Amino acid sequence: MPAVLFGSISTLADTSELQRQAFNEAFADSGLDWEWSREDYIAMLSSSGGAQRIQEYAQSRGQDVDAAAVHTRKSEIFQRLLGDSTVSPRAGVTATIAEAKKNHHKVGFITTTSQANIDALLSALTPEISAETFDLIVDHDSVSAAKPDAAAYKFALEQLGERADSVVAIEDNVGGVAAAVQAGIPCIAFPNENTGRAGQAEFTAAIQIVESLDPATVLGLTAS
């Protein structure tokens, strides 16, 4: 049975600017005089992992910061912002999920974010998309290495009992695309409002780059 794998929070709903806002609020709460502009944040999005971004930024400024603690605070703020905001599925997402289920495809959500972030997102998207939508949800506790490592996708293939050539991944960032491709999975790049500003050259490893999902195209990339 083929599968369609959504690879990060912003492949379902575009939360990139909420993420940036959460980082900046966390910096203020942590007593840091940092303010990531949109341009700053876009430049950082080629790497995955918020704690890693915080650590690298601190090092670039010659500061010693508890990156894990700041990132924990950022996640708490992000979850609150999601609850307070009106978010909706991105273009073509619900139609693609519906068509996948109609054609007896499995649907997965393959992230390396926290379960708390996943819960907050799915709560905000209910009833269109909920935990029951997915045959498998992978979070950062499922594997030992975050994207761009391929561990999350390899784990997903094992859990679903699928071959890489019967699956298609959908990712919104370069690290996610790299993770899927390293696992041998064809990947559609579906950039969000910030990763899309980096330009198509950033997504050369993807099989195609789209602004909205077309169900027939997505399902056509899976083996029957």
Side-chain angles (χ1 to χ4, degrees):
M1 184 182 295
V4 176
L5 307 179
F6 290 86
S8 68
I9 281 179
S10 281
T11 61
L12 297 178
D14 199 333
T15 63
S16 188
E17 277 296 281
L18 285 182
Q19 299 268 13
R20 184 173 69 88
Q21 181 181 344
F23 274 113
N24 286 332
E25 288 191 25
F27 299 153
D29 286 357
S30 303
L32 297 169
D33 62 344
W34 301 354
E35 179 77 20
W36 286 354
S37 69
R38 192 171 185 186
E39 289 70 26
D40 292 333
Y41 191 53
I42 290 169
M44 299 174 189
L45 292 177
S46 59
S47 64
S48 297
Q52 178 183 338
R53 292 190 196 113
I54 294 167
Q55 185 63 46
E56 291 173 352
Y57 188 74
Q59 290 173 348
S60 74
R61 295 172 61 94
Q63 293 179 256
D64 185 15
V65 170
D66 186 343
V70 177
H71 188 255
T72 295
R73 181 60 185 142
K74 176 263 176 183
S75 294
E76 294 169 349
I77 293 168
F78 175 65
Q79 291 154 27
R80 172 179 54 79
L81 291 174
L82 267 177
D84 293 343
S85 301
T86 301
V87 297
S88 58
R90 294 183 64 188
V93 167
T94 55
T96 297
I97 291 172
E99 192 68 13
K101 290 181 174 294
K102 177 182 176 182
N103 286 274
H104 308 292
H105 285 45
K106 297 172 185 174
V107 179
F109 189 21
I110 315 304
T111 80
T112 47
T113 192
S114 69
Q115 185 62 52
N117 281 345
I118 293 170
D119 290 344
L121 174 73
L122 296 181
S123 176
L125 290 177
T126 299
E128 290 106 322
I129 301 173
S130 68
E132 288 68 36
T133 299
F134 302 101
D135 296 283
L136 175 68
I137 296 177
V138 175
D139 65 31
H140 77 82
D141 290 330
S142 304
V143 293
S144 59
K147 298 174 186 177
D149 192 279
Y153 279 110
K154 291 179 178 179
F155 177 78
L157 291 175
E158 292 172 1
Q159 294 298 304
L160 293 170
E162 297 297 335
R163 304 186 319 271
D165 63 1
S166 69
V167 172
V168 61
I170 300 164
E171 282 283 0
D172 73 325
N173 63 83
V174 174
V177 171
V181 171
Q182 286 176 42
I185 299 171
C187 185
I188 296 172
F190 187 28
N192 64 51
E193 63 176 319
N194 281 333
T195 57
R197 293 181 64 179
Q200 293 192 359
E202 294 290 322
F203 293 99
T204 54
I207 197 165
Q208 60 181 257
I209 306 167
V210 301
E211 295 181 358
S212 64
L213 296 181
D214 174 65
T217 300
V218 174
L219 269 61
L221 292 172
T222 64
S224 59

